[in-house]
Amino acid sequence: MSETPTPPPTEVETLDVAVADLRPSLEAILIVADEPLDKVQLASVVGHPVEAVDAALTELAGEYVEQGRGFELRNVAGGWRFYSRDEFAAVVEGFVLEGQQARLTQAALETLAVVAYKQPVSRARVSAIRGVNVDGVMRTLLNRGLVEEAGQDHETGANLYRTTTYFLERIGITSLGELPELAPYLPDMDDLEGELGQLASHAAEPAAQQPAEPTPQPTPQQPAEPAGQSSAHSSPHSGQGTEPDGGTEIA
């Protein structure tokens, strides 16, 4: 009876080459993450095996609790993310809602206006309207409680955002229907057509200002000299010829 060959041992698959130390890499990624990340996502970024990533996350979470940090690392719905600890909720709420005295920047105000008038809207749409990346500004608006998540887009799966009731309180209105109309702040159609006309005329000026090529003129024939008169004594100012030397009389 022949023996059944033993299958070769299965190799543990690693996703990438390790790019840096595991634990600091995980902390650096999680501190900038906007949503929970699962261990497979994290392993693909840091280049360590999934098992090692899972163990490191568990160890980090335990250390933060033992050290009494103001934040903790939670595994929520299959993903890891940093959260402030529950016992400091009052401090965080006071900072976000009342204690933060800094005014919103112009970029934040413009982004907030886009969300208010286009909601629910994705970050990508807001970025397209403003022409710049708005990830950092949106994070500020979320932290201030002025904007909140409003589900996902059915076509793209992107997160949608809308303004909050706190936003209404801050600007002194009770509903979005009280937002001022945008029409008075848009350019009048007559003014817009006038500006477009001026742009078109300016674009046509360089072509219109180019000098036309001169049309060659026939050279009038010189009158025959009277008999006995030398050409040396003829005057270029006789009224019948041209001045080929630029108007200088010939001596």
Side-chain angles (χ1 to χ4, degrees):
M1 176 182 284
S2 59
E3 296 182 359
T4 303
T6 303
T10 303
E11 296 182 357
V12 178
E13 181 182 359
T14 57
L15 299 177
D16 278 319
V17 177
V19 295
D21 292 339
L22 177 55
R23 289 158 59 108
S25 298
L26 293 174
E27 290 176 324
I29 295 169
L30 290 169
I31 202 169
V32 298
D34 293 328
E35 56 188 7
L37 302 176
D38 62 41
K39 58 186 179 182
V40 177
Q41 289 177 293
L42 292 168
S44 66
V45 176
V46 299
H48 288 266
V50 176
E51 294 78 5
V53 170
D54 191 28
L57 290 169
T58 303
E59 293 172 1
L60 286 172
E63 289 181 5
Y64 298 147
V65 174
E66 293 176 1
Q67 296 169 1
R69 299 294 185 89
F71 60 90
E72 59 186 353
L73 183 59
R74 299 180 192 170
N75 185 3
V76 178
W80 293 84
R81 188 178 184 183
F82 281 122
Y83 293 85
S84 59
R85 293 177 60 181
D86 292 338
E87 51 263 46
F88 300 107
V91 178
V92 174
E93 183 178 2
F95 169 75
V96 172
L97 301 182
E98 300 296 340
Q100 196 168 2
Q101 299 298 326
R103 294 184 178 180
L104 292 176
T105 63
Q106 183 67 27
L109 290 173
E110 292 175 2
T111 301
L112 183 58
V114 173
V115 175
Y117 282 95
K118 293 291 186 180
Q119 60 184 303
V121 63
S122 65
R123 291 192 188 193
R125 179 59 176 161
V126 178
S127 296
I129 294 174
R130 292 203 56 230
V132 295
N133 186 288
V134 298
D135 288 350
V137 177
M138 287 292 290
R139 191 177 302 115
T140 297
L141 296 176
L142 286 165
N143 291 337
R144 292 285 192 98
L146 298 169
V147 169
E148 64 184 1
E149 294 186 0
Q152 293 183 328
D153 186 274
H154 296 295
E155 297 181 357
T156 64
N159 290 335
L160 299 176
Y161 298 90
R162 65 189 176 196
T163 54
T164 62
T165 55
Y166 178 66
F167 163 77
L168 300 177
E169 294 174 10
R170 296 298 294 177
I171 66 174
I173 61 177
T174 58
S175 69
L176 295 174
E178 298 180 28
L179 287 173
E181 294 291 336
L182 287 178
Y185 301 96
L186 297 177
D188 185 73
M189 287 303 299
D190 294 337
D191 296 339
L192 186 59
E193 291 177 358
E195 292 180 5
L196 292 176
Q198 291 179 1
L199 291 175
S201 63
H202 290 328
E205 281 181 1
Q209 291 177 355
Q210 291 181 355
E213 296 183 0
T215 303
Q217 299 292 333
T219 302
Q221 297 181 353
Q222 295 288 346
E225 295 182 355
Q229 182 175 358
S230 171
S231 60
H233 298 286
S234 62
S235 172
H237 299 288
S238 59
Q240 297 177 351
T242 59
E243 298 179 345
D245 61 350
T248 303
E249 292 187 3
I250 300 175

